[in-house]
């Protein structure tokens, strides 16, 4: 899991009546999730004062030799640990689309269901986006390939290299897309 230390002024504050920062603009923290049974990518992105900032990203990997229930449990517990650590207030996920391989589509759907459940149990609003919406929001075109999406994620988040593995890059792209389509002036 790739993690960066918080920068001055980027701490998320709770607004309370006695809080000295109650009138301060809020940092939006989004978790993007790229669900899969073998690899579930996640990316945490902050948005503040018109800027994106990568907080963390990584991939939850399960072993094909483990039972389905063990794999789904690992995804659930690992995603819960990520949510507990980074406390996102919004979530995004790519909508599923089925291709020729129904078997792999079903396993992705099961992983997506577990991720959706964990997000819901934490009362985090979840938005879903079509693959073309993500490509459009991140690169400006629906015809981009994975490499171009990774390149633009690197540019938008000010990273030195493209985030790897591609599941994590897709999750970061999903978080950026959510912020793009739900832009609120902070």
């Amino acid at each position: 899991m790739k993690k960066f230390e918080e920068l001055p002024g980027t701490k998320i504050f709770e607004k309370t009546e006695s809080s000295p920062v109650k009138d301060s603009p809020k940092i939006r923290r989004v978790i993007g999730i790229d669900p899969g049974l073998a690899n579930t990518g996640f990316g945490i992105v902050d948005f503040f004062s018109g800027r994106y900032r990568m907080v963390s990203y990584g991939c939850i990997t399960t072993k094909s030799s483990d039972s389905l229930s063990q794999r789904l449990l690992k995804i659930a517990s690992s995603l819960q640990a990520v949510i507990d650590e980074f406390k996102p207030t919004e979530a995004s996920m790519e909508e599923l689309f089925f291709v020729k391989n129904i078997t792999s589509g079903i396993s992705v759907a099961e992983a997506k269901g577990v991720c959706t459940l964990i997000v819901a149990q934490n009362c985090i609003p979840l938005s879903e986006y079509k693959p073309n919406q993500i490509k459009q929001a991140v690169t400006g075109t629906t015809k981009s390939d994975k490499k171009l999406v990774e390149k633009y994620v690197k540019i938008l988040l000010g990273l030195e290299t493209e985030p790897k593995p591609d599941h994590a890059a897709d999750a970061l792209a999903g978080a950026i897309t959510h912020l793009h389509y739900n832009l609120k002036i902070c």
Side-chain angles (χ1 to χ4, degrees):
M1 172 169 53
K2 183 86 172 167
K3 180 179 173 188
F4 287 77
E5 295 299 316
E6 292 203 38
L7 298 174
T10 61
K11 201 133 188 88
I12 294 180
F13 294 100
E14 295 292 322
K15 288 186 180 182
T16 64
E17 290 303 314
S18 62
S19 172
V21 293
K22 72 178 183 179
D23 295 326
S24 298
K26 182 180 176 200
I27 295 171
R28 293 179 63 199
R29 180 162 285 181
V30 177
I31 182 170
I33 303 168
D34 180 39
L37 186 59
N39 298 290
T40 293
F42 67 88
I44 312 289
V45 176
D46 281 352
F47 184 78
F48 182 73
S49 295
R51 295 184 174 257
Y52 300 110
R53 180 172 172 278
M54 191 280 300
V55 177
S56 182
Y57 64 87
C59 195
I60 301 163
T61 304
T62 66
K63 297 178 189 172
S64 60
S65 59
D66 288 343
S67 70
L68 175 62
S69 58
Q70 289 173 314
R71 295 174 86 179
L72 294 174
L73 183 59
K74 180 175 183 188
I75 293 167
S77 61
S78 298
L79 184 58
Q80 183 61 57
V82 169
I83 290 171
D84 288 345
E85 181 174 353
F86 297 106
K87 299 179 182 16
T89 55
E90 302 170 56
S92 72
M93 204 179 310
E94 185 175 317
E95 285 183 6
L96 289 184
F97 62 96
F98 288 92
V99 288
K100 294 179 182 175
N101 188 346
I102 294 270
T103 304
S104 67
I106 290 171
S107 66
V108 171
E110 290 175 316
K112 182 179 183 218
V114 166
C115 294
T116 302
L117 175 64
I118 296 300
V119 168
Q121 285 178 331
N122 286 276
C123 301
I124 301 170
L126 174 65
S127 298
E128 295 185 53
Y129 300 94
K130 292 176 176 29
N132 282 346
Q133 285 179 292
I134 294 172
K135 291 175 185 177
Q136 178 74 41
V138 174
T139 69
T141 178
T142 60
K143 300 182 189 286
S144 56
D145 61 9
K146 281 195 173 288
K147 289 288 182 198
L148 189 60
V149 170
E150 289 174 9
K151 181 179 179 178
Y152 272 83
V153 166
K154 172 190 156 197
I155 292 167
L156 289 169
L157 296 176
L159 305 175
E160 292 183 19
T161 60
E162 284 86 8
K164 298 289 181 193
D166 62 344
H167 302 287
D170 290 346
L172 288 167
I176 292 168
T177 299
H178 177 74
L179 289 162
H180 174 81
Y181 283 108
N182 295 282
L183 190 59
K184 299 172 189 167
I185 304 301
C186 295

